[in-house]
Amino acid sequence: MASLRGVAIIGAGMASVSVTSGKTLAQLFVDAATKAIEDSGVGRIDSIYVGNMLSGFLQNQEHLGALMATALQREGVPTYKIEGACASGAVAMNAGIKAVLSGLEDIVLVGGVEKMSGYSTSEVTEGLMMAEDRIRVASTGVTFVGLNAMIAREYMRKYDVRHEMIAEFPVLCHANALDNPYAQFHKKISVQDVLASPLVADPLRLYDCAGIGDGAAVIILAPLERVHEFTESSIEVLASIVATDSLSLYQREDITSFQASKTASRLAYERAHIKSEDVDVLEVHDAFSMLGIMALEDLGFAEKGSGVRMVVDGECARDGKLPTNTFGGLKARGHPVGATGLYQIAELVLQLSNRSGKCQVPNANIGLSQSVGGIGGTVALHVLKRCD
Amino acid sequence: MILSNLELNGVLCPKCHWKAFRQTETCLRCGNSVDQTVFRGLGKIHTYTVIRYPPCGFEDESPYVVALIDLDEGPRIIGRIQSTHRSIDAGATVRLVGKRGDAFDFAIE
């Protein structure tokens, strides 16, 4: 692998996550892409990768590659639409990185976009269930909240962890999002608020769950050897890993852990030549409170059953040992599903380049993002490093 | 309870005795070719949830219980637990009682 050229991130842009912007898919994408292109200073773009999950189901719109190339007035470039459920954006990032690694393309635009507002909860819930086995699982009427609730119930039983401890995760995320101008929610919440919110799928309650939102995030990639043409400081991609597990929970023996997260993190640390303790800032896929805690364990930061301790003890706070979800995570920044993986990466870019405003954490050199598709059937990890 | 047209088809490895509720021609554990088998439909609830915000098509049925069930023969399956006056909990014994579309319905024994 040593002969491969390095890949760098030279620009990032985000649209605000919201349900009230009224923007179309293309408008959301152009908003984020324009900011990323301006941030990078590039002129020519060699290719466009678009991560998205629900446009075909919700908007009756496919062919997003050409749609976005047209909206950006970049007709002529090759484009690719990538789908990996809620990890679509991070999987698109992996594809874009491989394009640069191949040497066939230099300046690559990778974007994620999702529009979820304007539909009933039942419609969005049905759309998200497309990430599961239609015949064996979706046929039961289970929802993604329900699948995660079954994990949470078993996790709490197996490790004797109480809901109020898991509820610390959304509390942390809401506190962090207060300083993020792009966040969907600017509202401080308490553990009591989580436990008093309505049940969605027992035992998970409303504030255990990320909401429905529209958004787009875009990254510009370039070969490391060409970075100096565009910027003085950049972010190097040390590892980009996509791993899979069996699609459905019933096919697994232990449902309190995502094997794909474990596999991906082992490969990511190996390829990046780092250990988990070298990570300075972390973004995990907390679509549900339980998943935030499980990620801390599956990625190697805590023993099984003890992830909650990191949050309760303040280790995951922005001034803690391992600042986590520093812009609010999926719970409070928002979770426009196909865009989420790229929001995480864009936020790491801001952290590593010391441009995070009030969200900035000190001494951030290495960042890790974890994006989960479905119920852990797909996991995409990225390890990024500041290079001065 | 008569289980007419109710069959939980799965596979059984004659060599290593691996059993699974899935369609495959080779054992995912030892690579041997597998035999078809039918599971009896008795098991225990591994974990469960109550769906209160259902997807389209299930609105009239909510709230309803969905569970992961460990069949007595070994494999795990996902299914609905029919509403009952009995309390539901992990470990409860359940029996296959019906099928709606592709989904299996169980009842607490």
Side-chain angles (χ1 to χ4, degrees):
Chain A
M1 300 299 282
S3 60
L4 290 176
R5 62 175 173 173
V7 179
I9 296 172
I10 57 170
M14 293 177 273
S16 292
V17 183
S18 118
V19 288
T20 55
S21 74
K23 286 181 177 162
T24 63
L25 279 169
Q27 286 168 336
L28 288 162
F29 196 86
V30 168
D31 179 354
T34 305
K35 290 170 184 164
I37 291 168
E38 192 183 306
D39 187 38
S40 69
V42 297
R44 179 196 155 108
I45 287 171
D46 295 330
S47 62
I48 297 175
Y49 290 76
V50 183
N52 173 268
M53 177 183 175
L54 296 169
S55 74
F57 183 84
L58 289 178
Q59 284 88 37
N60 294 311
Q61 178 70 63
E62 286 289 4
H63 209 178
L64 292 194
L67 179 77
M68 298 316 170
T70 305
L72 288 169
Q73 299 174 338
R74 300 271 175 173
E75 295 96 327
V77 301
T79 64
Y80 308 87
K81 182 254 178 106
I82 311 274
E83 191 276 320
C86 298
S88 296
V91 178
M93 180 76 176
N94 179 263
I97 287 166
K98 283 178 175 166
V100 180
L101 277 175
S102 76
L104 294 173
E105 293 163 7
D106 272 5
I107 309 302
V108 171
L109 184 151
V110 184
V113 62
E114 206 72 71
K115 183 169 174 61
M116 304 167 78
S117 70
Y119 308 93
S120 70
T121 303
S122 303
E123 284 174 300
V124 176
T125 301
E126 187 186 1
L128 291 170
M129 275 312 285
M130 292 198 304
E132 252 294 355
D133 184 329
R134 197 81 218 159
I135 296 166
R136 286 272 163 95
V137 178
S139 62
T140 64
V142 73
T143 61
F144 262 95
V145 192
L147 293 169
N148 284 277
M150 289 198 281
I151 291 176
R153 183 185 298 281
E154 171 60 7
Y155 181 99
M156 289 192 268
R157 182 201 67 77
K158 187 172 179 180
Y159 298 110
D160 194 21
V161 169
R162 297 189 312 277
H163 195 169
E164 49 262 49
M165 298 178 81
I166 293 167
E168 295 276 2
F169 207 94
V171 172
L172 165 81
C173 289
H174 272 262
N176 286 346
L178 290 174
D179 299 318
N180 175 6
Y182 296 100
Q184 182 173 8
F185 299 110
H186 294 106
K187 180 185 178 186
K188 195 174 169 61
I189 63 167
S190 68
V191 167
Q192 274 317 307
D193 292 331
V194 178
L195 299 180
S197 63
L199 278 166
V200 180
D202 313 25
L204 294 184
R205 294 174 179 274
L206 186 63
Y207 283 0
D208 285 303
C209 312
I212 286 167
D214 303 346
V218 171
I219 295 290
I220 310 289
L221 298 171
L224 201 56
E225 73 254 22
R226 285 190 60 191
V227 161
H228 63 274
E229 294 173 34
F230 309 103
T231 174
E232 286 177 11
S233 68
S234 66
I235 307 299
E236 184 178 357
V237 179
L238 292 187
S240 171
I241 306 287
V242 177
T244 54
D245 192 1
S246 46
L247 181 68
S248 305
L249 281 186
Y250 77 87
Q251 296 165 318
R252 304 178 197 161
E253 282 186 23
D254 180 7
I255 63 165
T256 63
S257 176
F258 283 161
Q259 189 56 47
S261 279
K262 290 182 173 180
T263 305
S265 62
R266 182 173 49 76
L267 293 171
Y269 297 146
E270 198 176 290
R271 196 160 298 173
H273 301 293
I274 63 164
K275 295 189 171 68
S276 61
E277 53 263 38
D278 296 324
V279 174
D280 300 311
V281 54
L282 176 67
E283 294 296 327
V284 299
H285 190 96
D286 63 314
F288 304 95
S289 53
M290 185 71 257
L291 294 194
I293 304 293
M294 274 168 58
L296 295 172
E297 300 167 357
D298 292 341
L299 300 176
F301 300 108
E303 295 293 317
K304 281 310 296 177
S306 66
V308 283
R309 288 254 55 98
M310 289 181 67
V311 188
V312 173
D313 294 346
E315 279 185 49
C316 294
R318 284 206 295 255
D319 59 355
K321 202 173 102 188
L322 181 62
T324 301
N325 290 11
T326 58
F327 285 78
L330 280 61
K331 175 68 194 81
R333 169 243 294 126
H335 182 28
V337 291
T340 293
L342 287 161
Y343 273 95
Q344 294 176 314
I345 290 166
E347 288 160 358
L348 286 182
V349 167
L350 294 182
Q351 287 292 3
L352 300 177
S353 55
N354 213 9
R355 294 187 289 156
S356 300
K358 285 183 176 176
C359 292
Q360 186 64 46
V361 302
N363 307 316
N365 288 305
I366 292 181
L368 170 65
S369 67
Q370 177 229 26
S371 185
V372 177
I375 195 74
T378 297
V379 170
L381 298 191
H382 287 87
V383 180
L384 309 181
K385 179 175 178 276
R386 176 220 303 257
C387 45
D388 296 311
Chain B
M1 188 69 63
I2 298 163
L3 303 182
S4 56
N5 300 322
L6 265 183
E7 287 201 340
L8 281 175
N9 298 307
V11 294
L12 163 67
C13 174
K15 193 172 165 194
C16 78
H17 308 296
W18 178 74
K19 292 170 186 166
F21 180 61
R22 62 196 294 169
Q23 297 307 314
T24 172
E25 289 181 4
T26 53
C27 175
L28 300 190
R29 195 194 279 166
C30 77
N32 204 66
S33 55
V34 295
D35 297 333
Q36 299 299 310
T37 188
V38 178
F39 301 119
R40 284 186 305 147
L42 280 167
K44 287 190 168 52
I45 292 179
H46 178 63
T47 180
Y48 72 96
T49 185
V50 185
I51 304 296
R52 295 171 192 276
Y53 291 85
C56 294
F58 294 87
E59 293 96 332
D60 295 344
E61 301 168 37
S62 105
Y64 49 88
V65 176
V66 179
L68 290 178
I69 295 147
D70 290 331
L71 297 173
D72 287 351
E73 292 92 339
R76 186 168 285 163
I77 180 177
I78 185 167
R80 287 270 285 271
I81 306 295
Q82 286 188 351
S83 62
T84 167
H85 57 280
R86 300 190 201 193
S87 66
I88 289 167
D89 210 349
T93 302
V94 293
R95 175 190 293 272
L96 180 66
V97 293
K99 202 176 174 193
R100 63 180 92 190
D102 294 309
F104 294 101
D105 273 16
F106 289 78
I108 306 257
E109 277 278 272

